[in-house]
Amino acid sequence: MKIMQAKNIPLSIITTSILLASQMASAHTRLQIPSIDEGTRVYNNQIISHGCRNPDTQAVDLTTIATILVFPDGVDSSITVNEEVSDQPLSAFIENWGSPIRKVQNKDLFELEEEIRDPLGNVVGYWAGSGGRQGSLIGAVPFRSNSFVIAETSCAKSVKAIVAIADICKITNIAGFNDADIMLWTPAVGSNFDGTEDLNGYNSPASLIINRTSPLPESCGEGVAVVVTPSAAQLNRDMPVNIDGVQIWPSPN
Ligand SMILES: [Cu+2]
């Protein structure tokens, strides 16, 4: 019995360690509500679970001084259907992408904030800065998602939007990206904001799933899962922060 107990203790410690490790692995910057129904505007938050990595202590508690969040614009975004690349436009699956989100004004974390518009004038994201998410505290940055309508004639049972986020702790140029100065939660699509494989959060973007509520056409069977990802060109255009026409981040040189 004593031997079994002795064995049980390390086992429970191991189990706890695994649980802790998996919780830490998922403690990224994500959307508070990651899955919504079509046809309703949802007030949501970008949850910044931790800051950048202190090179001395390895703790991810460095102050987040700014954040940028960008949805696919649906214009040159890439589409997959059941994980197969598709050349159909997003409009084949979502009727009214338009402005996928709007920023909800808020100064809890950051003094300055602005919506990011694509060349068509649609709001595809926002940046917020000046101030910060500090120490071990969790940051919540509010926004509202559009009341999306899934095309009734399509076979989409869900549409998942891949969301690119950059949490900045220190302004650097692109070559200077490192875990102490930035936490990138972007899809690795070949943009300037992929980061490198050695960085925390590499190719680990946030996402928002839009679920269909209308009946599928009978010919669709079980329906298909659609994923829409922003293009490299869009991220290169929409991620940089400009104030009065001057690029603030990333620093140009
Ligand atoms: Cu994390």
Side-chain angles (χ1 to χ4, degrees):
M1 280 303 282
K2 273 188 178 169
I3 290 168
M4 282 186 70
Q5 279 172 349
K7 275 184 180 168
N8 281 344
I9 292 164
L11 255 180
S12 72
I13 290 170
I14 290 165
T15 310
T16 309
S17 310
I18 290 167
L19 274 172
L20 276 173
S22 64
Q23 279 166 5
M24 287 174 73
S26 64
H28 294 331
T29 297
R30 292 290 182 261
L31 306 188
Q32 180 178 356
I33 305 168
S35 179
I36 63 171
D37 282 345
E38 65 167 317
T40 179
R41 287 172 169 169
V42 175
Y43 286 83
N44 206 336
N45 283 289
Q46 171 195 348
I47 302 296
I48 306 173
S49 297
H50 60 75
C52 302
R53 193 179 307 283
N54 183 323
D56 298 327
T57 64
Q58 299 302 310
V60 281
D61 60 359
L62 296 180
T63 301
T64 312
I65 62 167
T67 192
I68 296 132
L69 178 149
V70 172
F71 267 66
D73 62 16
V75 176
D76 64 351
S77 311
S78 65
I79 306 276
T80 63
V81 176
N82 282 351
E83 299 181 5
E84 300 272 334
V85 174
S86 168
D87 55 14
Q88 289 185 274
L90 181 57
S91 57
F93 305 103
I94 299 257
E95 290 179 355
N96 62 334
W97 192 251
S99 293
I101 65 164
R102 299 295 308 278
K103 183 73 185 73
V104 174
Q105 186 175 347
N106 181 277
K107 289 190 175 180
D108 287 353
L109 293 181
F110 302 110
E111 284 290 311
L112 304 175
E113 56 187 356
E114 203 166 276
E115 292 179 326
I116 298 166
R117 289 176 188 270
D118 72 6
L120 299 172
N122 289 315
V123 177
V124 294
Y126 56 79
W127 64 262
S130 183
R133 184 228 52 83
Q134 297 175 346
S136 64
L137 301 175
I138 292 169
V141 181
F143 69 92
R144 187 187 73 188
S145 59
N146 190 11
S147 172
F148 300 102
V149 177
I150 294 183
E152 280 193 39
T153 52
S154 82
C155 288
K157 63 182 176 189
S158 66
V159 176
K160 179 181 187 178
I162 301 299
V163 179
I165 293 172
D167 295 330
I168 297 159
C169 299
K170 187 180 167 200
I171 293 173
T172 69
N173 60 17
I174 291 162
F177 288 170
N178 72 93
D179 281 351
D181 298 333
I182 191 166
M183 288 279 141
L184 285 167
W185 314 106
T186 54
V189 291
S191 86
N192 295 333
F193 305 97
D194 282 12
T196 49
E197 285 184 48
D198 57 315
L199 294 186
N200 187 62
Y202 177 75
N203 200 22
S204 172
S207 61
L208 179 69
I209 296 172
I210 302 143
N211 293 301
R212 184 180 190 128
T213 57
S214 67
L216 280 164
E218 262 180 48
S219 58
C220 291
E222 286 190 358
V224 295
V226 176
V227 178
V228 53
T229 303
S231 70
Q234 187 204 338
L235 294 183
N236 289 344
R237 182 192 68 207
D238 292 339
M239 293 288 286
V241 176
N242 296 285
I243 298 179
D244 297 332
V246 177
Q247 185 171 313
I248 304 296
W249 178 86
S251 78
N253 43 48

